[in-house]
Amino acid sequence: KIERHFNTTAILETDALLALYSIVQDKYEQGLLVLAGTGTAIMGINKDKSFLASGWGQLLTERGSAYACVKDFVCEMINDFEINGNISPFGKKLMKHLGYDDLQEFKKLFYRHTKDEVAQSSKFFYEEAENGDLEAKNWLYHNGEMLAKDSMAAIRNLKMTDEVVIGFRGGFASNVHYVQEGVMDTLKKNGINPVVTSGDKDPIYGAFYMAKRKGIIC
């Protein structure tokens, strides 16, 4: 309908690809998008080839998102309690924050709330980290490490050079510096020299640069 109405070509692409193009613009042949908000998507590009790592959703491989931050921590709490009978100090803080007296109550959080609602609790991790809680800091950093491992999968598949242009999108990756530090440190430890660029924040620019690269516009 759009093509008929405007007498033009219409192309459907994912928001992740548009975000990636908003990072590489028309300046770089290769680049990497680390998108982590409620969910995650890691997408790389090298010349005319792109590769998506992660982005499979919370029921499959998702890690490093605001949702996974909460879910994976609770899973660690459950495992630690079942094996050692312990609940960590930050785990107790999280339970108090949610008004829970028993681990069983976490079922309410995950089975009666949406993904977005669960992800909101990741803000408590950041608040406590900023207040000096080392366990919260380390956990947020760990989520960055997980994002970096998925980033390396994209880098390997695209045979990208060691110096990689990288951009962060999504509130969890963009606003939580502990997460970014986990990403950057892990990449550097693996011989990758990431160069951070903000690019154009509005994804509409990504559509412009994608069309430009594909020769749809001049």
Side-chain angles (χ1 to χ4, degrees):
K1 185 175 180 179
I2 291 172
E3 288 186 330
R4 290 197 306 270
H5 184 79
F6 294 103
N7 191 29
T8 189
T9 300
I11 299 172
L12 291 176
E13 288 291 359
T14 68
D15 55 351
L17 188 61
L18 296 185
L20 174 61
Y21 276 107
S22 76
I23 291 166
V24 296
Q25 304 171 315
D26 55 1
K27 298 178 182 178
Y28 309 105
E29 286 192 334
Q30 63 174 23
L32 189 71
L33 162 73
V34 178
L35 191 161
T38 302
T40 62
I42 309 294
M43 181 167 275
I45 190 170
N46 190 358
K47 297 180 181 177
D48 60 341
K49 293 183 179 179
S50 61
F51 183 86
L52 176 67
S54 188
W56 295 92
Q58 75 273 22
L59 296 180
L60 294 174
T61 65
E62 183 174 300
R63 57 186 181 176
S65 67
Y67 174 86
C69 170
V70 180
K71 188 204 75 173
D72 291 347
F73 185 81
V74 173
C75 288
E76 291 283 331
M77 287 178 65
I78 293 169
N79 289 335
D80 191 30
F81 181 76
E82 290 180 342
I83 295 170
N84 302 309
N86 296 328
I87 297 177
S88 71
F90 181 73
K92 292 176 181 176
K93 282 185 183 179
L94 179 61
M95 290 179 68
K96 183 178 179 180
H97 169 72
L98 294 169
Y100 296 165
D101 296 316
D102 191 283
L103 278 176
Q104 292 284 341
E105 294 184 85
F106 277 109
K107 292 179 181 179
K108 296 186 295 187
L109 179 64
F110 291 94
Y111 297 138
R112 297 182 185 176
H113 294 84
T114 66
K115 183 178 181 180
D116 286 350
E117 290 168 339
V118 172
Q120 289 297 313
S121 292
S122 67
K123 293 179 180 178
F124 181 71
F125 287 71
Y126 180 67
E127 290 166 359
E128 289 302 305
E130 290 292 86
N131 288 331
D133 190 297
L134 186 59
E135 189 179 353
K137 287 181 185 179
N138 289 340
W139 185 255
L140 292 171
Y141 185 91
H142 170 71
N143 278 262
E145 293 177 315
M146 296 298 99
L147 290 170
K149 289 180 180 179
D150 288 333
S151 298
M152 287 187 289
I155 292 168
R156 285 193 302 270
N157 274 277
L158 290 169
K159 296 179 174 59
M160 298 167 77
T161 61
D162 292 339
E163 193 164 289
V164 176
V165 173
I166 183 173
F168 294 95
R169 294 289 187 269
F172 194 61
S174 298
N175 301 328
V176 182
H177 62 89
Y178 304 106
V179 173
Q180 287 194 22
E181 289 163 11
V183 173
M184 299 294 284
D185 290 349
T186 305
L187 290 177
K188 290 174 183 176
K189 287 175 185 176
N190 285 273
I192 298 163
N193 300 304
V195 179
V196 178
T197 179
S198 58
D200 290 297
K201 294 292 186 180
D202 193 325
I204 192 65
Y205 289 103
F208 167 76
Y209 289 116
M210 182 189 71
K212 190 174 181 182
R213 286 190 181 221
K214 292 180 180 292
I216 297 171
I217 60 174
C218 299

